[in-house]
Amino acid sequence: MFHIYNKIRRTGCVTEPFPMPDAPVVELGAACQKEIAAHFSGSLAIRMIDTGSCNGCELEMHAANNSFYDIERFGIHFVASPRHADLLLVTGVVSRHMQEALKRTYAAIPAPKLVVAMGDCAGYGGEFGISYASCGSVSNVIPVDAIIPGCPPTPTVLLQGLLQLLRQ
Amino acid sequence: MITQQQPTQGKVSSFADQLTAVGIRIQEDKPLPGMTAQLKLRSKDWGFAAKVAAQNKLRWSAVWGDHRPPKIIIRALLFGVDGHLLLQTEVTEGSPELPSQAEFFIVASRPERYLQDMFGVRFQEKKDNRRWIRHQAWLETDFPLRQTFPVAGNPVENTKPDNNYPFPAVDGEGVYQIPVGPVHAGIIEPGHFRFQAMGENILRLEERLGYVHKGIEKIAVGRDLDGLIRLAGRVSGDSTVTHSWAACQAIERALEINLPPRALSLRAILSERERIANHLGDIGAICNDVGFSFAQYQMSRLRELWQRQNQLIFGHRLLMDLFVPGGVSVDLSKDDILNLQLEIEQLRPEVEELLPLLLECPSLQDRLRDYAFLTTADAQRLGAVGYVGRASNLQDDLRRDAPYAPYDQLDVKVPAFSEGDLIKRMRVRGEEILISLDLLSKLLKQLPEGSLSVDYSLPGREVEGVGLVEGWRGETLAYLRLDDQGKVLRYFPRDPSWLTWQALEMMLDGVIVPDFPVCNKSVNGSYSGHDL
């Protein structure tokens, strides 16, 4: 146990002011917190759904939760049930096998709700497009409020995208 | 740890004689580059040949189809201590019937069901003929990988969910079912798990995948080589290097391209970096699934630093799009090499400090040790690969056992344990990180000078090739057939997840439902790489 505490002590706090290189977005971060405080009672609850991604976007979503980015400090957190969510974060093209699951997840989120398409696939169809197996971009199936481009979007880009949406 | 033992398997080079000895008529072909042997069989002998292969302890690796009207060519890949063997037969599109190999290799069952859904091949005397990859997006009478099926298909506006998939139920007082998914509670890909449970105990689990089937094989057809590599890099996002390499290798073998040594070393550097990043993430995630957040914070911190270095030096956090046919598109300067070497010296002591911390922590031991066993016998029955196989003493590693350049110049150690419990699947990853750091160190130190890629010309005729690389999940295959213009006629990527997903079903004896997520994480099969 002592070793664990010692490792924690030596590691210290690695969480960074966000985002590092881009000063204007620090303002946006503060603004975002304000928006979340005003419209979402201080916390924005995200339900994620992968409807046909390659898993790249999920990896970066995980990264947004690591100690460096620590997305929760802005009041943004991922929830297990769509019933608890304010925002649906969709990754991947919508495979036809996931079409109904996406619609039901969307329907299960209480209104008013936001939908964000994360990554080039969810936003524009990406590498997979429309076919016998894929409906293409998310907007072909449910209404989308914002697209965060990238393949995959980095945690920084993901956060910037969310902040921009909240400011609108 | 066991490192000395050789994989307990037969030889593919004697397989032809073994088949002839039992009266199976075969035709030996000149093997495709990279293969040790290649045999053609009559379709009626397909099942019996698998029986002989099983008796001679070959590992079953893959089966795939290729529609060349009016025939459907079926190929299976077997692995022995002396390399890979390609088994080939053909059926007619009018009555595509084939004896099943699943009786002798249980892991062949789902790939056969995949062939049934995608090509309409009917497997005889097979217990399980249920649909596998097909849900409701196309009709039972349509077969997307037949040439006559249009890539756009005939979709309806709203595809119905696949509600009536027949899961066998367990009967008995107090037995109940828990349907989980396709949408899970966490940040994870979609799939369905059907538990039959009694109280907290799992009696039986059956997986149902195919939710993220996005038609990769079909949309690959007609692409040029660059387009194909872009697609291969997205078969499974966490294995982008692995699948890109496998596809590139298939192209290069088909077109007889010899790579510059520098390109090969750079590919191996990328591949080992991918392995380390994923293993770091997995160790943290396994611990996190039993509530041990210390490990998650530490490992995700190390992974993030690793990914940032990827971004800094290679321009992409997950190393996507760095492969080109004939080489790589990224180079390392002298400063880059120094930085990467420095990074190795920083990561190694961290991992060496953290691993014993985790392995000695009583509360973690209590949750992970002597639990969720995959016995060596079950792993062998399955032909499990990668860390799943190694934790159960199945040590196959292509980098050592069927080495491709530059691994033929390197001494690759393969960690293995005999117990097959959950913590060994975590520990194998830890050991592999340290081994990969050694490999990286050597690769960087001995990085050959020279060009990054070679020019190549198209052969002006139809060619085919098989690529096989050892990704972080295990043996990864890419089959390619190209036309005279270098356009793709057939692309089949086989993610190692096909060989490990079933391990998850087999390790749940005595496991309670709330511990399922950590078991799932210990296998960490790719949904996207499986569903295609």
Side-chain angles (χ1 to χ4, degrees), chain A residues 5-23:
Chain A
Y5 287 132
N6 201 26
K7 179 72 184 170
I8 292 171
R9 183 185 62 78
R10 277 183 290 120
T11 304
C13 177
V14 298
T15 309
E16 296 166 328
F18 176 83
M20 311 71 70
D22 205 357

mmCIF file of all heavy atoms in Angstrom, chain A residues 5-23:
data_model
loop_
_atom_site.group_PDB
_atom_site.id
_atom_site.type_symbol
_atom_site.label_atom_id
_atom_site.label_comp_id
_atom_site.label_asym_id
_atom_site.label_seq_id
_atom_site.Cartn_x
_atom_site.Cartn_y
_atom_site.Cartn_z
ATOM 1 N N TYR A 5 0.901 4.637 -2.533
ATOM 2 C CA TYR A 5 0.808 6.040 -2.131
ATOM 3 C C TYR A 5 2.047 6.813 -2.565
ATOM 4 O O TYR A 5 1.968 7.962 -3.004
ATOM 5 C CB TYR A 5 0.623 6.154 -0.609
ATOM 6 C CG TYR A 5 -0.764 5.752 -0.177
ATOM 7 C CD1 TYR A 5 -0.951 4.878 0.888
ATOM 8 C CD2 TYR A 5 -1.887 6.255 -0.828
ATOM 9 C CE1 TYR A 5 -2.213 4.503 1.281
ATOM 10 C CE2 TYR A 5 -3.165 5.888 -0.446
ATOM 11 C CZ TYR A 5 -3.327 5.005 0.618
ATOM 12 O OH TYR A 5 -4.576 4.627 0.987
ATOM 13 N N ASN A 6 3.175 6.148 -2.441
ATOM 14 C CA ASN A 6 4.415 6.814 -2.809
ATOM 15 C C ASN A 6 4.451 7.130 -4.302
ATOM 16 O O ASN A 6 4.885 8.208 -4.726
ATOM 17 C CB ASN A 6 5.594 5.919 -2.409
ATOM 18 C CG ASN A 6 6.875 6.723 -2.290
ATOM 19 O OD1 ASN A 6 6.818 7.930 -2.030
ATOM 20 N ND2 ASN A 6 8.000 6.080 -2.481
ATOM 21 N N LYS A 7 3.973 6.162 -5.105
ATOM 22 C CA LYS A 7 3.917 6.376 -6.554
ATOM 23 C C LYS A 7 2.970 7.531 -6.887
ATOM 24 O O LYS A 7 3.267 8.359 -7.761
ATOM 25 C CB LYS A 7 3.461 5.083 -7.256
ATOM 26 C CG LYS A 7 3.333 5.189 -8.776
ATOM 27 C CD LYS A 7 4.676 5.278 -9.451
ATOM 28 C CE LYS A 7 4.536 5.475 -10.951
ATOM 29 N NZ LYS A 7 5.818 5.785 -11.580
ATOM 30 N N ILE A 8 1.850 7.572 -6.194
ATOM 31 C CA ILE A 8 0.882 8.654 -6.435
ATOM 32 C C ILE A 8 1.529 9.997 -6.077
ATOM 33 O O ILE A 8 1.429 10.972 -6.825
ATOM 34 C CB ILE A 8 -0.399 8.432 -5.597
ATOM 35 C CG1 ILE A 8 -1.165 7.203 -6.103
ATOM 36 C CG2 ILE A 8 -1.301 9.669 -5.658
ATOM 37 C CD1 ILE A 8 -2.304 6.772 -5.218
ATOM 38 N N ARG A 9 2.242 10.033 -4.947
ATOM 39 C CA ARG A 9 2.886 11.268 -4.508
ATOM 40 C C ARG A 9 3.925 11.726 -5.543
ATOM 41 O O ARG A 9 3.975 12.887 -5.933
ATOM 42 C CB ARG A 9 3.560 11.036 -3.150
ATOM 43 C CG ARG A 9 4.219 12.291 -2.556
ATOM 44 C CD ARG A 9 4.970 11.940 -1.271
ATOM 45 N NE ARG A 9 6.064 11.001 -1.471
ATOM 46 C CZ ARG A 9 7.265 11.312 -1.966
ATOM 47 N NH1 ARG A 9 7.518 12.541 -2.331
ATOM 48 N NH2 ARG A 9 8.208 10.390 -2.120
ATOM 49 N N ARG A 10 4.716 10.748 -6.020
ATOM 50 C CA ARG A 10 5.771 11.119 -6.950
ATOM 51 C C ARG A 10 5.232 11.513 -8.319
ATOM 52 O O ARG A 10 5.812 12.328 -9.022
ATOM 53 C CB ARG A 10 6.791 9.977 -7.071
ATOM 54 C CG ARG A 10 7.827 10.009 -5.926
ATOM 55 C CD ARG A 10 8.874 8.931 -6.086
ATOM 56 N NE ARG A 10 8.316 7.617 -5.855
ATOM 57 C CZ ARG A 10 8.293 6.642 -6.753
ATOM 58 N NH1 ARG A 10 8.778 6.835 -7.944
ATOM 59 N NH2 ARG A 10 7.763 5.471 -6.455
ATOM 60 N N THR A 11 4.120 10.886 -8.715
ATOM 61 C CA THR A 11 3.527 11.237 -10.009
ATOM 62 C C THR A 11 2.986 12.660 -9.981
ATOM 63 O O THR A 11 3.093 13.403 -10.958
ATOM 64 C CB THR A 11 2.401 10.257 -10.377
ATOM 65 O OG1 THR A 11 2.914 8.942 -10.352
ATOM 66 C CG2 THR A 11 1.841 10.557 -11.757
ATOM 67 N N GLY A 12 2.400 13.043 -8.847
ATOM 68 C CA GLY A 12 1.859 14.393 -8.716
ATOM 69 C C GLY A 12 0.662 14.617 -9.618
ATOM 70 O O GLY A 12 0.064 13.660 -10.115
ATOM 71 N N CYS A 13 0.335 15.866 -9.860
ATOM 72 C CA CYS A 13 -0.823 16.190 -10.691
ATOM 73 C C CYS A 13 -0.352 16.493 -12.113
ATOM 74 O O CYS A 13 0.481 17.377 -12.326
ATOM 75 C CB CYS A 13 -1.554 17.388 -10.116
ATOM 76 S SG CYS A 13 -2.939 17.894 -11.127
ATOM 77 N N VAL A 14 -0.824 15.739 -13.072
ATOM 78 C CA VAL A 14 -0.390 15.963 -14.450
ATOM 79 C C VAL A 14 -1.433 16.716 -15.275
ATOM 80 O O VAL A 14 -1.228 17.017 -16.431
ATOM 81 C CB VAL A 14 -0.039 14.637 -15.183
ATOM 82 C CG1 VAL A 14 1.121 13.957 -14.484
ATOM 83 C CG2 VAL A 14 -1.236 13.708 -15.279
ATOM 84 N N THR A 15 -2.589 16.976 -14.655
ATOM 85 C CA THR A 15 -3.661 17.647 -15.393
ATOM 86 C C THR A 15 -3.202 19.029 -15.861
ATOM 87 O O THR A 15 -2.599 19.781 -15.108
ATOM 88 C CB THR A 15 -4.908 17.784 -14.501
ATOM 89 O OG1 THR A 15 -5.204 16.507 -13.954
ATOM 90 C CG2 THR A 15 -6.081 18.298 -15.294
ATOM 91 N N GLU A 16 -3.494 19.306 -17.141
ATOM 92 C CA GLU A 16 -2.970 20.513 -17.754
ATOM 93 C C GLU A 16 -4.044 21.567 -17.911
ATOM 94 O O GLU A 16 -5.211 21.215 -18.080
ATOM 95 C CB GLU A 16 -2.432 20.171 -19.157
ATOM 96 C CG GLU A 16 -1.272 19.221 -19.122
ATOM 97 C CD GLU A 16 -0.994 18.635 -20.484
ATOM 98 O OE1 GLU A 16 -1.962 18.450 -21.263
ATOM 99 O OE2 GLU A 16 0.172 18.357 -20.772
ATOM 100 N N PRO A 17 -3.629 22.825 -17.899
ATOM 101 C CA PRO A 17 -4.592 23.828 -18.323
ATOM 102 C C PRO A 17 -4.998 23.501 -19.752
ATOM 103 O O PRO A 17 -4.152 23.094 -20.542
ATOM 104 C CB PRO A 17 -3.823 25.149 -18.266
ATOM 105 C CG PRO A 17 -2.421 24.807 -17.922
ATOM 106 C CD PRO A 17 -2.301 23.358 -17.660
ATOM 107 N N PHE A 18 -6.239 23.641 -20.063
ATOM 108 C CA PHE A 18 -6.690 23.146 -21.368
ATOM 109 C C PHE A 18 -7.034 24.257 -22.331
ATOM 110 O O PHE A 18 -7.621 25.242 -21.921
ATOM 111 C CB PHE A 18 -7.910 22.260 -21.186
ATOM 112 C CG PHE A 18 -8.465 21.805 -22.495
ATOM 113 C CD1 PHE A 18 -7.903 20.708 -23.115
ATOM 114 C CD2 PHE A 18 -9.483 22.501 -23.112
ATOM 115 C CE1 PHE A 18 -8.375 20.302 -24.341
ATOM 116 C CE2 PHE A 18 -9.949 22.090 -24.342
ATOM 117 C CZ PHE A 18 -9.396 20.987 -24.954
ATOM 118 N N PRO A 19 -6.822 24.119 -23.598
ATOM 119 C CA PRO A 19 -5.827 23.249 -24.201
ATOM 120 C C PRO A 19 -4.513 24.013 -24.285
ATOM 121 O O PRO A 19 -4.517 25.234 -24.335
ATOM 122 C CB PRO A 19 -6.387 22.945 -25.578
ATOM 123 C CG PRO A 19 -7.368 24.044 -25.844
ATOM 124 C CD PRO A 19 -7.659 24.776 -24.582
ATOM 125 N N MET A 20 -3.449 23.269 -24.305
ATOM 126 C CA MET A 20 -2.135 23.856 -24.089
ATOM 127 C C MET A 20 -1.763 24.952 -25.092
ATOM 128 O O MET A 20 -1.472 26.067 -24.700
ATOM 129 C CB MET A 20 -1.047 22.768 -24.078
ATOM 130 C CG MET A 20 -1.359 21.586 -23.179
ATOM 131 S SD MET A 20 -2.682 20.536 -23.824
ATOM 132 C CE MET A 20 -1.869 19.793 -25.227
ATOM 133 N N PRO A 21 -1.767 24.639 -26.417
ATOM 134 C CA PRO A 21 -1.139 25.607 -27.313
ATOM 135 C C PRO A 21 -2.062 26.757 -27.707
ATOM 136 O O PRO A 21 -1.601 27.728 -28.265
ATOM 137 C CB PRO A 21 -0.785 24.749 -28.537
ATOM 138 C CG PRO A 21 -1.673 23.555 -28.452
ATOM 139 C CD PRO A 21 -2.302 23.504 -27.122
ATOM 140 N N ASP A 22 -3.323 26.652 -27.424
ATOM 141 C CA ASP A 22 -4.301 27.482 -28.086
ATOM 142 C C ASP A 22 -5.007 28.399 -27.083
ATOM 143 O O ASP A 22 -6.047 28.079 -26.529
ATOM 144 C CB ASP A 22 -5.320 26.571 -28.781
ATOM 145 C CG ASP A 22 -5.981 27.277 -29.936
ATOM 146 O OD1 ASP A 22 -5.669 28.472 -30.137
ATOM 147 O OD2 ASP A 22 -6.808 26.654 -30.610
ATOM 148 N N ALA A 23 -4.433 29.566 -26.846
ATOM 149 C CA ALA A 23 -4.929 30.453 -25.804
ATOM 150 C C ALA A 23 -6.404 30.845 -25.935
ATOM 151 O O ALA A 23 -7.121 30.815 -24.937
ATOM 152 C CB ALA A 23 -4.057 31.710 -25.717
#
